[in-house]
Amino acid sequence: MEIKATKPVMPLFEDYVNEIRSIWDTGILTNNGEKVQRFSEKLKTYLDCENIDLFVNGHSALYLAIKVMDLEGEVITSPFTFVSTTNAIVQNGLTPVFGDIDENYNLDPNSIEDLITEKTSAIITPHIFGIPCDVKSIEEIAKKYNLKVIYDAAQAFGTKINGKSIAHYGDATMFSFHAIKVFNSIEGGAVVYRNSKLKEKFELYRNFGISYGETNDVLVSGINAKMNEFQAAMGILNLSSLEQEIAKRKKIAQQYINTLKHVEGIETYSYKNNIEYNYAYFPIIVTQKYGRSRDELWKHLKDVGIGSRKLYDLLTCDYSLYQNCGYVNHIEKANYIKKICLDMPMYAGLTYKEIQYICDEIKMYRK
Ligand SMILES: *Cc1c(COP(=O)(O)O)cnc(C)c1O
């Protein structure tokens, strides 16, 4: 048996062909065409938000979300993330200050206040694995110290807190619609933001800084980060199956939990009642009681055809590029978790038998 770590969500081929047919009539492939506009409206409704802009991918969305806020100095962030979060901070000329993580794998609010200096301008941090940060505590701190909050919700599209979309928190929230996220537009990204005055800036920065008028003057040094019509077509179709996708993932998570609770030394995340998760990932913790290390288990699973992922075995502050960049303060928990966390295969098409096979292998390999 061969089981991959992830598989992209795809609509029916015929549905995609039907959706993109009109692009051949209009000849409009990109530059805010009809499909991007329709996708944007659908997302607004789904996320129940006022301001949203779409981008070619999540990274440029995050990069520009930071850019339009004109931040300076230091930014408090979590090192337990995909490199994009830290890259986007550094590419904006800001200094990352790394805090520790909590039991939710996210920036620990208790680690933030010690890191604040007069140079701190923002908290920019992910909702890792689709699990929300402690948004309430983070925003209390941000308010107290007058800091901006930008969430990297690349992995959290579809997650809700107390029935409200995760997009409702922070000054801005970035989503990624990359192929292997819970929801994809092949590649793609979005930013939801509070201050509607930022719209003009997002549009400028997304398209080379060009202000269309009589002279097509250039006002800022922008990039090209526009979503195209083929991406939007994929997004429109996949959005209509998102709730089913998440429901299937939830069932898979439940099967994992029910089966793995009988394996000593393996711990699964304790989901909370007030949160609707998107089940983007299924991280397990390999404790000492298991008798084998996380790395040994990863290797064993690989040998029997199961793709698990060591997310994140390197913190972003461990990368050679970032070892001497920014400040790292007491990140004991992050340094501990990075050695024992393993992400299990997770996608809607996983069968009951496949999950059983994965869990059996984990169980048999125990020492
Ligand atoms: C995927 C991801 C990104 C980048 O999104 P892309 O759409 O791939 O550019 C950023 N941050 C996190 C945490 C991610 O998982």
Side-chain angles (χ1 to χ4, degrees):
M1 216 184 296
E2 175 148 11
I3 303 172
K4 290 192 175 129
T6 64
K7 258 189 204 169
V9 180
M10 310 271 281
L12 287 176
F13 177 69
E14 292 73 21
D15 288 348
Y16 189 67
V17 170
N18 281 333
E19 184 62 50
I20 63 173
R21 203 176 296 278
S22 61
I23 299 175
W24 269 257
D25 302 329
T26 60
I28 295 170
L29 311 189
T30 185
N31 286 48
N32 204 23
E34 177 266 330
K35 290 190 196 300
V36 165
Q37 289 175 37
R38 192 148 49 89
F39 184 29
S40 176
E41 286 308 313
K42 282 186 184 291
L43 286 169
K44 247 190 209 174
T45 307
Y46 175 73
L47 296 169
D48 185 27
C49 66
E50 295 273 306
N51 306 305
I52 186 167
D53 272 297
L54 303 188
F55 300 88
V56 66
N57 55 47
H59 181 77
S60 33
L62 182 59
Y63 169 74
L64 292 181
I66 301 172
K67 178 73 66 194
V68 299
M69 300 236 181
D70 293 324
L71 300 173
E72 279 178 12
E74 297 171 2
V75 164
I76 296 166
T77 187
S78 163
F80 190 75
T81 183
F82 182 55
V83 68
S84 170
T85 318
T86 309
N87 280 351
I89 292 168
V90 173
Q91 285 161 359
N92 274 288
L94 300 163
T95 305
V97 177
F98 299 99
D100 208 355
I101 59 172
D102 60 13
E103 70 284 357
N104 303 308
Y105 300 103
N106 285 314
L107 184 62
D108 184 349
N110 295 317
S111 83
I112 298 177
E113 281 193 277
D114 281 348
L115 305 177
I116 295 176
T117 70
E118 66 266 26
K119 291 193 193 137
T120 311
S121 60
I123 300 167
I124 302 178
T125 199
H127 299 297
I128 217 67
F129 300 146
I131 297 168
C133 297
D134 180 349
V135 289
K136 196 162 166 271
S137 305
I138 288 178
E139 280 161 39
E140 273 167 20
I141 296 168
K143 212 167 162 200
K144 184 168 162 196
Y145 294 93
N146 193 24
L147 307 175
K148 295 274 188 236
V149 178
I150 302 175
Y151 289 115
D152 173 345
Q155 303 180 351
F157 190 79
T159 295
K160 293 177 185 153
I161 305 174
N162 298 322
K164 269 189 356 188
S165 158
I166 202 156
H168 285 255
Y169 300 88
D171 295 285
T173 294
M174 174 279 263
F175 294 105
S176 161
F177 308 145
H178 181 268
I180 61 155
K181 305 297 205 247
V182 170
F183 167 72
N184 83 78
S185 62
I186 310 174
E187 295 237 27
V191 180
V192 173
Y193 48 99
R194 299 280 91 74
N195 178 359
S196 55
K197 289 194 191 119
L198 294 176
K199 179 144 205 94
E200 211 173 320
K201 266 176 141 180
F202 271 120
E203 283 172 4
L204 277 176
Y205 272 108
R206 185 173 55 190
N207 191 32
F208 307 101
I210 303 170
S211 162
Y212 289 104
E214 274 178 23
T215 57
N216 291 352
D217 196 10
V218 172
L219 304 180
V220 298
S221 100
I223 60 171
N224 179 3
K226 300 183 296 287
M227 177 177 277
N228 70 53
E229 293 290 277
F230 292 85
Q231 293 177 289
M234 192 73 155
I236 289 166
L237 293 174
N238 280 340
L239 192 58
S240 61
S241 65
L242 176 66
E243 292 304 322
Q244 287 151 271
E245 171 72 25
I246 293 177
K248 286 183 195 157
R249 285 169 174 265
K250 183 174 182 179
K251 267 182 106 173
I252 292 165
Q254 276 158 351
Q255 192 190 339
Y256 268 129
I257 292 168
N258 290 338
T259 319
L260 291 174
K261 72 173 172 228
H262 303 296
V263 184
E264 213 191 338
I266 298 293
E267 285 171 11
T268 58
Y269 181 70
S270 309
Y271 294 103
K272 297 185 181 67
N273 287 330
N274 68 322
I275 292 167
E276 291 167 52
Y277 297 90
N278 68 353
Y279 302 94
Y281 297 74
F282 195 83
I284 62 169
I285 295 293
V286 185
T287 70
Q288 264 188 342
K289 279 199 190 134
Y290 183 70
R292 309 256 198 185
S293 72
R294 185 276 312 270
D295 290 357
E296 285 174 310
L297 177 58
W298 173 82
K299 174 73 170 46
H300 172 73
L301 293 176
K302 188 166 177 257
D303 291 343
V304 296
I306 299 167
S308 65
R309 295 186 294 174
K310 295 188 254 181
L311 300 179
Y312 289 93
D313 57 342
L314 288 181
L315 304 176
T316 62
C317 55
D318 291 333
Y319 294 126
S320 43
L321 175 64
Y322 291 135
Q323 274 170 12
N324 299 314
C325 162
Y327 308 107
V328 183
N329 277 58
H330 301 294
I331 51 164
E332 286 82 9
K333 179 110 196 219
N335 274 324
Y336 175 62
I337 294 294
K338 75 180 184 187
K339 296 195 192 96
I340 57 172
C341 184
L342 192 62
D343 175 46
M344 291 291 113
M346 174 53 97
Y347 48 89
L350 267 183
T351 64
Y352 183 87
K353 260 176 83 179
E354 286 172 325
I355 302 161
Q356 217 54 37
Y357 173 65
I358 297 165
C359 295
D360 283 348
E361 284 298 333
I362 296 173
K363 195 171 174 180
M364 284 184 317
Y365 189 60
R366 187 177 175 273
K367 211 154 73 180

